[in-house]
Amino acid sequence: MAAPKPRGDLRAEITAARIAALDLPQGGFTAAARKEALARLQAMGLPTRRDEYWKYTDPTALTAPEAAPAAVLADDEPPVFGALDALKIVFVDGLFDAAASDDLSLAGIEISRLAEAGDIHWAKGLYGTLEAKGQVPVARPLAALNSAAASDGVLIRVTGRAPRPVELIYRHESEASDVILHHFVKIDPQAELTLLESGPGAARFNAVMEVDLGAGARFHHIRVQGRDHHRRAVTHLFARIAAGALFKSFTLTMNGALTRNEAVLDIAGDNAVAHVAGAVVGDAKTAPFHQDDTVFVTHDAVGCESRQVFKKVLKNGATGVFQGKILVRPGAQKTDGYQISQSLLLDGDSQFLAKPELEIYADDVKCSHGSTSGAIDETALFYLRSRGVPLAEAQSLLVLSFLADAIAEIEEAAIADAITQRLEGWLARRR
Amino acid sequence: MLEIKNLHVKLEDEDKVILKGVDLTVEAGKVHAIMGPNGSGKSTLSYVLSGRDGYRVTEGSATLDGADLLAMAPEERAAAGLFLAFQYPVEIPGVGNMTFLRTAVNAQRKARGEEEVSAADFLKLVRAQAKMLNIDADMLKRPVNVGFSGGEKKRNEILQMAILAPRMCILDETDSGLDVDAMRLVADGVNALRDGKRGFLVITHYQRLLDHIKPDVVHIMADGRIVRTGGPELALEVERNGYADILAEAI
Ligand SMILES: Nc1ncnc2c1ncn2[C@@H]1O[C@H](COP(=O)(O)OP(=O)(O)OP(=O)(O)O)[C@@H](O)[C@H]1O
Ligand SMILES: [Mg+2]
């Protein structure tokens, strides 16, 4: 099946080796889409560290035929979204856990599982399409690999206002798990959904979520990636956003040897809003920490707003990466594009690598981007201490205040509080 | 209560000596004022007492109720009862004023082995004090000092002082940048804390604040030393004649 490879072509070799190790699902409504995805993958080839798009992040661990094992963290914290009345869908190392999951029926929303959808399904003709579209102008081969090989995932169609959030919980219990999940979320015009994700997923986790928002639809996405130190993950979020729709995504990353989160947002209808944000805390003391946010926002309609807010706190040799692009297509007038990426380096060993980009083909637009890297504000630290706040607590307060703008992207206060608590826990464990 | 003896201080990173033997004792219940030309070392003294980085004490001592201040971390000094109202209060984006205040109060209580205040009691306390200082509720919700006017920042310092109720209060030019009414509010705030047990060290350039806060003792600092000490009339003399005569005499 793999294309004939010239000798010495590293990309072709690793691609062939990876494909050979895949367990490709057969049949079902996705059969044709998977075949196309595999062809895309073969045509593009997997990334290598020579690729410009992977300049700051070595993809080797993500493309290797076998996943490196990752120790399972004994998580002593209560479930992050435990206090929210969410409909829970649980995957344990990628396997759906029916006993731990709630009944999948909920008013205004239709949920099925990719692995169980038969030949006829509303997602037929949609599965993999946003991923395919997101391959231009920059190739995202690991997402094509995902579409071709995903073992399971959820297919969510929202027709009204979902009365409860839906939460996807990814447990990691096996040191050697290598998991590929693919979700498709379709939100009908004017419908609304809050989708939560939590957990490490697997030793190696490749997740794709495609989100198709109809006119005036609203989507709130809050994700907390697991604390397991040695896990590796690559995730892709593809969204198509129709007129007047609202898309909001926030991710908290704590720990993880390697995390690459890509968001590819296509703002296709007028007056739509798309926000993507991330808060990252990494401490490379216990295990390596490398976290990469790669965002590509395309404005292809009039009067739309996009906002990227990424904040990273790095310690003991941790690495944070941000690659963020705003592309304003011809005719996308009155675009308001904003992008900020900042790092707080808690010591001299850590590093933040940022590549902000603007590419604008319309004249009546307002776009800005900024990127900064700094240490803790000593003056503020002294001020707090002079009021009696102990050093460690003062540092935590300042770290949280640094992250505040990213957390402020979460609309629901209860969810923002849950995230803040997690961060407080992480900081307290490092005092 | 506060005893400073022969205090010599230089900058940590530079060979610049700023305090050249300061001797000063503030007794419980007393208000001492320090005046002196710009750059004479008044703020440096207040920073060194409260434990800011960047200075090195080369000689001398400073104690609060007998405890060696210079051996303590800034937060320990605060818990021991020392408070500095900053000449330039610091903005802390992302930390709410209320969170900041409550964290500070509870941290100090914890350090002293006392119970934390309940959220409700704390709110009541803050509201009452804020009202006295004419600080509106909106300001309490905002991040610490962010977007506050100069005068608002100074009043916020006094609010913190009132809530933390320290034993020894150092005010570094809290009157600078205040309008007449605000100065009165600040002075009232200070006077309300004068209970015969606290000590005050008020750094100022102007007699006007001292009209409201009647000092017991006035010191003149010049070139890193206290060059003269007297009663309230010394401040009036400075107001009338400036520092020239006093400095000439000191040399
Ligand atoms: N961190 C520092 N780096 C360099 N110089 C300093 C530093 N801190 C203080 N100085 C210098 O030490 C001297 C005393 O400064 P200080 O701020 O204590 O004066 P002050 O008496 O409070 O003056 P003012 O009345 O203007 O507030 C000045 O010459 C000042 O420039
Ligand atoms: Mg000064």
Side-chain angles (χ1 to χ4, degrees):
Chain A
M1 222 171 14
K5 51 185 195 229
R7 248 177 83 84
D9 183 340
L10 177 66
R11 190 190 309 282
E13 265 172 41
I14 59 166
T15 305
R18 180 70 187 107
I19 290 172
L22 285 174
D23 185 10
L24 294 167
Q26 305 296 325
F29 80 93
T30 56
R34 287 174 185 273
K35 220 173 128 195
E36 285 170 27
L38 187 64
R40 274 197 295 283
L41 170 62
Q42 283 167 328
M44 293 183 279
L46 284 169
T48 74
R49 55 186 320 178
R50 289 246 193 88
D51 294 352
E52 178 66 18
Y53 217 45
W54 292 84
K55 189 164 89 181
Y56 299 133
T57 298
D58 182 355
T60 307
L62 300 170
T63 59
E66 304 296 334
V72 175
L73 182 98
D75 196 336
D76 45 358
E77 288 179 303
V80 55
F81 300 126
L84 305 166
D85 178 34
L87 184 150
K88 294 178 189 59
I89 304 173
V90 180
F91 292 91
V92 180
D93 292 302
L95 295 174
F96 176 68
D97 184 339
S101 301
D102 289 331
D103 180 26
L104 298 191
S105 53
L106 190 63
I109 173 166
E110 208 180 291
I111 306 174
S112 48
R113 280 182 39 233
L114 181 63
E116 291 207 327
D119 290 335
I120 301 163
H121 196 273
W122 58 261
K124 186 168 183 164
L126 287 174
Y127 179 90
T129 54
L130 302 188
E131 173 263 298
K133 190 155 187 277
Q135 298 294 350
V136 179
V138 187
R140 304 170 200 284
L142 286 161
L145 180 148
N146 178 298
S147 296
S151 62
D152 204 349
V154 291
L155 306 165
I156 300 179
R157 176 158 184 195
V158 189
T159 51
R161 197 191 156 130
R164 299 157 68 187
V166 172
E167 180 180 5
L168 306 177
I169 298 174
Y170 308 116
R171 295 207 181 114
H172 173 210
E173 291 180 1
S174 155
E175 284 202 359
S177 54
D178 187 14
V179 171
I180 306 176
L181 295 181
H182 190 119
H183 312 298
F184 198 103
V185 180
K186 179 170 165 50
I187 308 183
D188 285 355
Q190 310 303 331
E192 179 165 5
L193 174 70
T194 296
L195 184 65
L196 311 169
E197 293 184 276
S198 66
R204 181 168 74 176
F205 192 31
N206 179 332
V208 163
M209 181 180 291
E210 299 179 275
V211 187
D212 192 4
L213 279 89
R218 300 167 75 81
F219 178 65
H220 307 271
H221 174 232
I222 298 95
R223 168 169 63 175
V224 178
Q225 296 178 303
R227 271 170 49 208
D228 296 41
H229 292 286
H230 296 277
R231 63 165 184 82
R232 295 183 169 83
V234 55
T235 75
H236 289 83
L237 185 57
F238 295 96
R240 174 167 58 203
I241 302 151
L246 172 87
F247 172 95
K248 279 194 135 187
S249 174
F250 170 91
T251 300
L252 170 65
T253 309
M254 297 183 290
N255 309 345
L258 175 60
T259 308
R260 164 99 159 195
N261 292 326
E262 294 198 22
V264 184
L265 313 181
D266 177 14
I267 309 180
D270 295 349
N271 303 313
V273 174
H275 291 197
V276 55
V280 173
V281 287
D283 179 351
K285 189 173 170 193
T286 329
F289 179 87
H290 183 109
Q291 195 277 356
D292 174 335
D293 280 294
T294 291
V295 179
F296 199 112
V297 176
T298 304
H299 280 267
D300 204 4
V302 175
C304 297
E305 173 194 308
S306 73
R307 206 175 143 81
Q308 304 171 39
V309 182
F310 288 87
K311 301 263 190 165
K312 303 181 200 248
V313 178
L314 305 168
K315 179 169 183 177
N316 289 317
T319 301
V321 174
F322 176 76
Q323 305 188 101
K325 177 153 183 172
I326 305 174
L327 168 64
V328 181
R329 284 250 165 84
Q333 303 295 9
K334 309 271 180 225
T335 286
D336 181 355
Y338 175 81
Q339 178 196 96
I340 183 96
S341 64
Q342 295 181 306
S343 76
L344 181 64
L345 305 176
L346 295 182
D347 52 54
D349 302 336
S350 302
Q351 60 171 344
F352 177 56
L353 305 160
K355 190 179 173 198
E357 276 183 286
L358 295 178
E359 196 178 328
I360 301 174
Y361 298 102
D363 49 19
D364 184 14
V365 302
K366 193 173 90 189
C367 278
S368 66
H369 65 75
S371 185
T372 64
S373 217
I376 238 167
D377 179 348
E378 289 297 329
T379 311
L381 196 63
F382 173 62
Y383 191 64
L384 287 164
R385 296 177 75 190
S386 79
R387 299 308 183 237
V389 183
L391 177 62
E393 205 176 337
Q395 280 168 334
S396 296
L397 259 180
L398 293 177
V399 168
L400 286 173
S401 80
F402 167 77
L403 295 170
D405 287 346
I407 296 167
E409 287 294 320
I410 302 169
E411 279 185 19
E412 178 136 352
I415 300 178
D417 288 347
I419 297 291
T420 302
Q421 267 177 32
R422 277 292 142 135
L423 284 163
E424 283 169 348
W426 190 91
L427 290 163
R429 286 190 294 277
R430 273 155 191 82
R431 275 185 196 165
Chain B
M1 173 158 64
L2 176 67
E3 260 190 276
I4 305 166
K5 284 192 188 142
N6 192 31
L7 192 66
H8 288 68
V9 171
K10 68 179 274 293
L11 290 177
E12 187 118 272
D13 303 329
E14 274 174 60
D15 261 337
K16 179 168 175 175
V17 179
I18 301 176
L19 300 184
K20 303 172 179 173
V22 175
D23 285 289
L24 181 66
T25 300
V26 180
E27 309 80 15
K30 299 286 192 233
V31 175
H32 286 232
I34 299 188
M35 304 180 84
N38 293 130
S40 55
K42 305 180 297 297
S43 292
T44 301
L45 176 64
S46 68
Y47 286 144
V48 169
L49 291 175
S50 47
R52 187 176 192 146
D53 282 344
Y55 304 100
R56 181 163 334 130
V57 175
T58 53
E59 223 185 310
S61 65
T63 57
L64 181 64
D65 296 324
D68 180 5
L69 275 179
L70 303 177
M72 298 183 210
E75 55 269 34
E76 292 167 339
R77 303 181 197 205
L82 187 77
F83 179 91
L84 168 63
F86 283 51
Q87 181 172 1
Y88 305 107
V90 180
E91 298 188 5
I92 313 183
V95 177
N97 221 359
M98 276 306 247
T99 309
F100 166 62
L101 278 169
R102 201 172 56 238
T103 307
V105 167
N106 284 333
Q108 290 200 14
R109 286 181 167 242
K110 202 171 150 198
R112 293 193 290 253
E114 299 164 11
E115 286 219 354
E116 295 199 347
V117 268
S118 78
D121 286 349
F122 183 73
L123 198 65
K124 237 187 270 169
L125 174 69
V126 175
R127 286 217 177 112
Q129 294 291 352
K131 197 167 168 215
M132 270 174 38
L133 287 159
N134 204 8
I135 290 174
D136 59 50
D138 190 49
M139 253 169 75
L140 294 172
K141 285 190 208 131
R142 299 212 310 250
V144 179
N145 291 325
V146 176
F148 287 26
S149 74
E152 286 170 342
K153 285 180 182 167
K154 296 302 182 75
R155 272 183 281 152
N156 199 27
E157 294 291 288
I158 301 303
L159 174 68
Q160 292 167 35
M161 188 172 88
I163 285 162
L164 293 167
R167 296 256 302 131
M168 177 69 219
C169 311
I170 305 174
L171 286 78
D172 190 357
E173 292 197 30
T174 304
D175 51 337
S176 302
L178 290 183
D179 64 39
V180 185
D181 296 330
M183 177 150 357
R184 167 127 250 152
L185 288 171
V186 164
D188 289 347
V190 171
N191 289 330
L193 286 171
R194 286 175 83 166
D195 60 353
K197 296 188 209 100
R198 293 198 164 86
F200 292 85
L201 193 57
V202 180
I203 299 170
T204 182
H205 286 295
Y206 307 107
Q207 168 61 33
R208 202 158 47 172
L209 180 70
L210 303 179
D211 286 340
H212 299 299
I213 306 174
K214 301 256 180 318
D216 299 293
V217 183
V218 175
H219 307 274
I220 308 297
M221 186 177 237
D223 192 25
R225 286 187 196 90
I226 303 290
V227 295
R228 213 165 126 190
T229 296
E233 71 287 347
L234 187 52
L236 293 167
E237 190 188 325
V238 168
E239 182 90 345
R240 267 197 314 273
N241 305 331
Y243 292 112
D245 293 352
I246 299 172
L247 297 189
E249 195 178 302
I251 297 164

